[in-house]
Amino acid sequence: MSTPSIITPTPAVAPRAGARQWVALAVLMLPVLLVSVDNTVLSFALPAISQALEPSGTGMLWIIDAYPLVLAGLLVSMGSLGDRIGRRKLLLIGATGFAVVSVGAAFAPTTEWLIAARASLGFFGAMLMPSTLSLLRSIFTDREQRRLAIAVWASGFAAGSALGPIVGGVLIEHFWWGSVFLLAVPVLIPLLVLTPLLVRESRDPNPGPIDVPSILLSLLTMAPIVYGIKSLASDGLSVAGVLAIVIGAVSGWLFVRRQLRRPIPMLDMRLFRRASFSGAVLINLLSVVSLVGYLFFVSQHLQLVLGLSPIDAGLVLIPGLATMIVAGLVVVPIARRVRAAIVVPVALLISAVGYLVVALSGGDAQAGVLILSFVLLGLGIGAAETVSNELILTSAPAEKAGAASAVSETAYELGAVLGTATLGTILTASYRSAVVLPDGLTSAQAHAAGETLGGATTVAGQLPGDLGEQLLASARAAFDSGVALTAGIGVGLMVAAAALAVFSLRKIGR
């Protein structure tokens, strides 16, 4: 009698992606680059906008902040909506709206118009980002391939933030400031054509109901906190600033409480109980704060202090941009062999050295110093964000990929807001307190020159030779003193992020 054979079940092996999937990744990178470029593309257009629209210092900050503020406030809501109605569908709706509003922003006649257009771009941009990262999870089921795809995504997002000033420099050199917005149109047309052909629809098979109170609470958390930080940084301790932060904190507490009590929450807050998930989110946040804050002051320093043209100033950033992309890809094989608790802190400390180079220059940094500092900053941030994004996405169930992706992008966008709202506002406040205005200015000229370096540069061009040079020298010295302070804060942020990585990722394997 024969002995019955014992059949051992073969573990299911996730299918590997082919050429079609990698082409789909290339298509999905278009909105990633666009949204991240839009975070910083205005950096090099700020002097031109200052001259054309004559915004106040606060108005200038809101032109920059309106976009990432609205985007960050809606990312979790849009990620949940994509899980419900379909991530590909939401991506196409967002791309169409983003292209249309971009045309309106390009021809904005006033500061208020431009701020409103930037806020509208944030609304449609919030539909783009959660869709791209969550679709990657459904396209790349093999973990090693997915890790590489996420590395490409993270490198593209981080590099897009650095690419923004370069693109802005080229466009401003040859066209008017509104051309930085028209860039969206040729980028999104291929997306609208190719996405239905290459990307399958993906959604949560058992979505919960649309939760309007949670959507409102998420907005009431983000907007007041950012406003409060901006107010405290620019005007000092005030009732309005403190009250705004309190409102945001209370709304955030109510949001978390509601999510924990709902059977199907819009955002599963229990994910944050995992140290690796919450730590990776905070690492992304602090990294982007440092990156965007750096670009805010460097773009102005290169043009308004060193006197470089927009395109030449953009070229100074190319080595750092290339380093950021390469670091995000090279870290993938390293992360297979070295624990995240080692890779991420080391990368972040390298970024801290980049800020330290600027701080030690005392704000009087030449182009070569800024090239070195940005290469170091890009090396660290490019590597750290690739690893942290992979940890965020793999911590969540596949059917909740949209909401988990939205958390990652919320950290990015909140970091973009805080990078300007904190580092940018501290720099602006330092400039206002240090600049010395010469006698003989009209009230309008004194207001413009006392608000921003761009305003002082414009006013200096309207004054007689000696008086204009005196104003310009004072304005540049005031700006550079703020740069040294801001760079020192950047060092502290990167060291804090490294310490956080050591603590939160210590139990994660390779």
Side-chain angles (χ1 to χ4, degrees):
M1 187 166 106
S2 62
T3 304
S5 61
I6 300 175
I7 301 176
T8 303
T10 303
V13 178
R16 292 180 63 81
R20 178 189 178 95
Q21 286 73 30
W22 290 108
V23 174
L25 170 62
V27 172
L28 292 176
M29 288 305 299
L30 294 174
V32 172
L33 287 170
L34 180 64
V35 171
S36 57
V37 162
D38 249 47
N39 276 333
T40 55
V41 72
L42 284 189
S43 296
F44 274 38
L46 291 180
I49 291 174
S50 294
Q51 295 177 12
L53 301 182
E54 298 183 350
S56 65
T58 302
M60 181 72 79
L61 289 172
W62 275 112
I63 288 173
I64 300 169
D65 289 343
Y67 168 78
L69 172 59
V70 174
L71 195 151
L74 288 173
L75 275 169
V76 172
S77 304
M78 291 300 183
S80 178
L81 181 62
D83 289 340
R84 180 184 180 85
I85 70 171
R87 294 145 189 162
R88 187 183 72 174
K89 180 184 294 184
L90 191 67
L91 176 66
L92 295 176
I93 293 172
T96 302
F98 200 98
V100 172
V101 175
S102 294
V103 176
F107 298 97
T110 65
T111 298
E112 293 75 18
W113 181 299
L114 184 56
I115 291 173
R118 290 277 289 169
S120 299
L121 288 173
F123 175 80
F124 289 108
M127 299 181 186
L128 300 177
M129 295 307 295
S131 302
T132 58
L133 189 54
S134 54
L135 283 169
L136 289 187
R137 177 156 184 168
S138 64
I139 293 172
F140 296 94
T141 55
D142 177 80
R143 177 166 185 182
E144 291 304 318
Q145 287 188 318
R146 184 171 65 238
R147 180 178 284 174
L148 179 58
I150 292 173
V152 173
W153 186 95
S155 298
F157 195 100
S161 296
L163 186 63
I166 298 173
V167 172
V170 173
L171 292 175
I172 296 300
E173 184 84 4
H174 296 94
F175 306 101
W176 91 113
W177 63 264
S179 61
V180 300
F181 294 104
L182 293 181
L183 175 69
V185 177
V187 171
L188 291 176
I189 287 177
L191 173 75
L192 292 170
V193 173
L194 295 175
T195 298
L197 301 177
L198 295 171
V199 180
R200 295 178 180 177
E201 186 58 279
S202 168
R203 59 170 58 90
D204 185 347
N206 299 299
I210 295 177
D211 186 5
V212 175
S214 290
I215 295 173
L216 295 176
L217 285 171
S218 67
L219 283 170
L220 285 173
T221 299
M222 300 292 294
I225 287 178
V226 173
Y227 173 81
I229 292 173
K230 287 168 60 69
S231 176
L232 294 177
S234 60
D235 304 326
L237 190 64
S238 66
V239 174
V242 173
L243 181 61
I245 292 177
V246 170
I247 291 173
V250 171
S251 299
W253 177 77
L254 291 173
F255 176 84
V256 171
R257 185 169 176 266
R258 182 175 178 83
Q259 304 314 300
L260 292 174
R261 292 188 172 190
R262 288 181 63 81
I264 305 179
M266 188 176 81
L267 176 62
D268 188 356
M269 301 304 299
R270 294 172 182 84
L271 287 172
F272 288 93
R273 294 175 180 171
R274 303 182 184 185
S276 59
F277 182 88
S278 56
V281 170
L282 288 173
I283 288 165
N284 277 357
L285 173 68
L286 294 175
S287 296
V288 178
V289 167
S290 296
L291 175 62
V292 172
Y294 179 93
L295 293 172
F296 180 82
F297 70 73
V298 165
S299 60
Q300 296 183 73
H301 181 88
L302 290 170
Q303 292 182 84
L304 302 177
V305 176
L306 299 185
L308 299 181
S309 67
I311 191 169
D312 288 339
L315 292 175
V316 170
L317 299 178
I318 286 181
L321 168 64
T323 301
M324 191 177 297
I325 295 172
V326 171
L329 298 175
V330 169
V331 78
V332 173
I334 295 175
R336 296 191 194 119
R337 298 172 175 82
V338 183
R339 296 176 63 244
I342 297 175
V343 173
V344 176
V346 169
L348 293 171
L349 289 176
I350 292 173
S351 292
V353 174
Y355 255 118
L356 184 62
V357 168
V358 177
L360 292 177
S361 72
D364 188 24
Q366 298 301 306
V369 172
L370 296 177
I371 289 174
L372 173 61
S373 67
F374 192 46
V375 165
L376 293 170
L377 191 72
L379 176 62
I381 289 178
E385 288 189 347
T386 291
V387 178
S388 60
N389 271 293
E390 201 266 342
L391 291 174
I392 291 171
L393 195 59
T394 55
S395 296
E399 66 274 11
K400 298 298 182 183
S405 302
V407 172
S408 176
E409 285 121 30
T410 299
Y412 272 108
E413 298 307 327
L414 181 57
V417 172
L418 295 179
T420 305
T422 54
L423 299 184
T425 303
I426 289 170
L427 178 60
T428 300
S430 177
Y431 169 85
R432 289 174 180 169
S433 64
V435 66
V436 178
L437 302 179
D439 296 330
L441 302 183
T442 67
S443 59
Q445 287 175 331
H447 175 75
E451 285 281 313
T452 64
L453 176 59
T457 303
T458 301
V459 171
Q462 303 168 355
L463 300 176
D466 291 342
L467 194 60
E469 291 177 4
Q470 181 183 346
L471 171 61
L472 202 54
S474 173
R476 287 173 173 172
F479 183 83
D480 279 347
S481 66
V483 167
L485 171 63
T486 305
I489 295 173
V491 173
L493 287 175
M494 289 289 89
V495 171
L500 174 66
V502 171
F503 174 76
S504 62
L505 306 182
R506 66 188 187 281
K507 295 182 180 179
I508 302 297
R510 290 188 289 272

